[in-house]
Amino acid sequence: MTIANKVLAVNNDLPIRTDKPVHSGKVRSVYWLTADDSRRLIKEKGYNVAADTPLAIMVISDRISAFDCIWHGEGGMKGVPGKGAALNAISNHWFKLFKDNGLADSHILDIPHPFVWIVQKAKPVMIEAICRQYITGSMWRSYVKGEREFCGIQLPEGLEKDTKLPELLQTPSTKGILEGIPGVPAQDDVNITRKNIEDNFAAFNFKAAADITLYEKLLKEGFDLISGELAKLDQIFIDTKFEFGYVTDASGNDKLIYMDEVGTPDSSRIWDGSEYRNGKVVENSKEGFRQLLLNHFPDSDILLNKDRMSEREALARDNALPESVLMAVSDTYTGIAEKITGEKVVISDDPKAEVVEILRNEYNLID
């Protein structure tokens, strides 16, 4: 079996019983269960959700996206071996620590397989909740152009690239395209200010204005916990993105929870502490892959300029990356996952068959 055969690239074709279309994102596919199956599992498994809560099976893949495109490699490699298992393992680890330390719940109810989550339906807050501890990336690119206001926050003079900020900053952006919000362009990933959110909290799906402060508290608590744990491993938590949503528990209480993934190499920058002290940035996150792509292609503006999206899509479609590149990315993902969790990431020979067997035999979701 070649390494390419161990990559789970297509994850929207599993025979999971559903009466709705499968939603396939850049990395994960979501199978909404039938109402009967959702009610049955809630009762059988004792999930702490309202009896009529819709449930879904969320299956991760090994696909890798960057600059809004999916990339592939030579030899039929349609993703990065071990990436999916590594991402889920890291999120599972952080969510368990969140629970152990009394932070908010997550949307995950069960973990049948390293590639699979059973999740509850949530009403998402339409904000990419971003926290930054160091100035790099888009914030640095704005700063070096002379901009001193970022998401309504005034930045001091004299900051240097890749250095620690005077304080932890929350710099939100829009999740999806939001129409009709004064001062907020109808585009995905647009930087916004706290005042934008305060003035239009319902448009961002907040149930009450007070929940703005709550989401900021949960964001800081989650960031601080992960940052502290990574510091014990001599890793630096540079910046990250969280997502939030509302759910209802078995007692009928509405609550704001963490959604999607947290503290992973896909949603965060993580730097090696020892290398940083020696004046070198070594990424233990997808940012290293992004930088490789920027250096790999002669015209990096194609990857950075949203107005050149058709050219960017052609780059991703027509260029198979060297297998060595994707294996180096695999080493990054599995390496940081093993460091964080203390457990080896196992690359399955046939993850799809394993998932089908478990969902059929232990959850009765496959006919």
Side-chain angles (χ1 to χ4, degrees):
M1 175 176 286
T2 68
I3 191 68
N5 292 331
K6 295 187 177 186
V7 171
L8 180 58
V10 179
N11 59 346
N12 62 355
D13 62 349
L14 279 73
I16 297 168
R17 194 163 50 244
T18 180
D19 51 14
K20 295 181 175 64
V22 178
H23 172 74
S24 192
K26 292 173 186 172
V27 176
R28 290 182 171 83
S29 286
V30 181
Y31 300 75
W32 287 105
L33 301 183
T34 65
D36 287 345
D37 279 331
S38 290
R39 284 182 175 275
R40 174 179 60 80
L41 283 182
I42 290 169
K43 185 176 181 180
E44 288 178 1
K45 304 295 185 181
Y47 300 143
N48 182 25
V49 299
D52 61 350
T53 300
L55 304 186
I57 303 296
M58 190 174 284
V59 183
I60 200 168
S61 73
D62 291 319
R63 294 190 297 271
I64 185 161
S65 70
F67 302 107
D68 297 316
C69 293
I70 303 295
W71 301 84
H72 67 283
E74 297 170 344
M77 287 186 69
K78 301 296 184 182
V80 173
K83 175 177 178 285
L87 287 177
N88 271 11
I90 292 170
S91 281
N92 297 342
H93 179 82
W94 295 136
F95 281 137
K96 182 180 184 301
L97 280 183
F98 284 8
K99 185 175 183 179
D100 291 347
N101 285 273
L103 275 65
D105 289 335
S106 77
H107 64 323
I108 302 170
L109 300 173
D110 207 345
I111 306 169
H113 181 273
F115 277 74
V116 180
W117 289 338
I118 296 180
V119 301
Q120 58 186 311
K121 187 175 180 62
K123 181 182 179 183
V125 172
M126 303 306 289
I127 290 173
E128 303 279 11
I130 298 168
C131 237
R132 301 173 189 268
Q133 191 166 217
Y134 285 69
I135 184 165
T136 191
S138 63
M139 177 181 276
W140 174 254
R141 288 194 293 272
S142 297
Y143 191 86
V144 81
K145 291 176 184 175
E147 298 176 25
R148 292 296 178 266
E149 186 178 292
F150 196 90
C151 294
I153 301 167
Q154 197 66 32
L155 300 176
E157 296 291 339
L159 296 180
E160 297 182 6
K161 186 176 187 292
D162 299 336
T163 58
K164 193 168 186 179
L165 291 159
E167 60 181 327
L168 184 66
L169 299 182
Q170 297 191 16
T171 56
S173 65
T174 55
K175 174 180 169 62
I177 297 173
L178 304 179
E179 305 276 356
I181 301 179
V184 178
Q187 301 170 12
D188 192 17
D189 290 331
V190 173
N191 287 345
I192 52 177
T193 68
R194 193 183 199 278
K195 188 170 191 324
N196 290 144
I197 303 171
E198 290 172 347
D199 292 346
N200 307 277
F201 68 88
F204 289 101
N205 274 357
F206 282 112
K207 293 190 174 183
D211 286 349
I212 301 170
T213 301
L214 175 58
Y215 112 82
E216 291 175 332
K217 174 177 176 287
L218 296 180
L219 176 55
K220 185 178 187 306
E221 286 178 345
F223 188 98
D224 286 347
L225 187 150
I226 294 173
S227 182
E229 291 298 314
L230 284 175
K232 296 175 186 177
L233 305 172
D234 203 11
Q235 301 294 304
I236 308 172
F237 203 32
I238 301 302
D239 53 34
T240 196
K241 177 202 74 174
F242 283 9
E243 296 185 26
F244 296 93
Y246 289 95
V247 297
T248 304
D249 66 18
S251 301
N253 301 310
D254 287 339
K255 55 187 182 181
L256 193 63
I257 63 162
Y258 298 99
M259 286 178 57
D260 200 44
E261 59 184 34
V262 292
T264 71
D266 268 13
S267 64
S268 319
R269 284 184 179 89
I270 302 170
W271 293 349
D272 183 87
S274 175
E275 296 285 358
Y276 181 75
R277 289 191 297 276
N278 288 327
K280 185 179 180 182
V281 168
V282 173
E283 294 279 0
N284 282 319
S285 61
K286 188 167 69 176
E287 186 59 28
F289 178 64
R290 287 168 53 89
Q291 294 300 320
L292 183 148
L293 292 175
L294 288 171
N295 293 325
H296 186 73
F297 296 106
D299 187 358
S300 61
D301 183 67
I302 294 175
L303 298 174
L304 298 172
N305 188 341
K306 290 185 177 182
D307 293 334
R308 302 180 70 179
M309 195 65 203
S310 60
E311 295 174 82
R312 189 187 308 178
E313 290 169 345
L315 277 184
R317 181 186 65 242
D318 300 336
N319 290 275
L321 300 172
E323 180 180 307
S324 60
V325 167
L326 295 186
M327 291 310 299
V329 177
S330 175
D331 290 344
T332 296
Y333 276 78
T334 57
I336 192 63
E338 290 171 357
K339 193 181 289 284
I340 289 170
T341 66
E343 297 180 3
K344 186 169 180 58
V345 174
V346 177
I347 300 178
S348 303
D349 285 338
D350 194 345
K352 192 175 292 187
E354 294 176 1
V355 169
V356 169
E357 182 179 7
I358 289 171
L359 294 183
R360 175 185 287 122
N361 297 339
E362 298 183 23
Y363 293 83
N364 188 24
L365 292 173
I366 294 176
D367 297 323

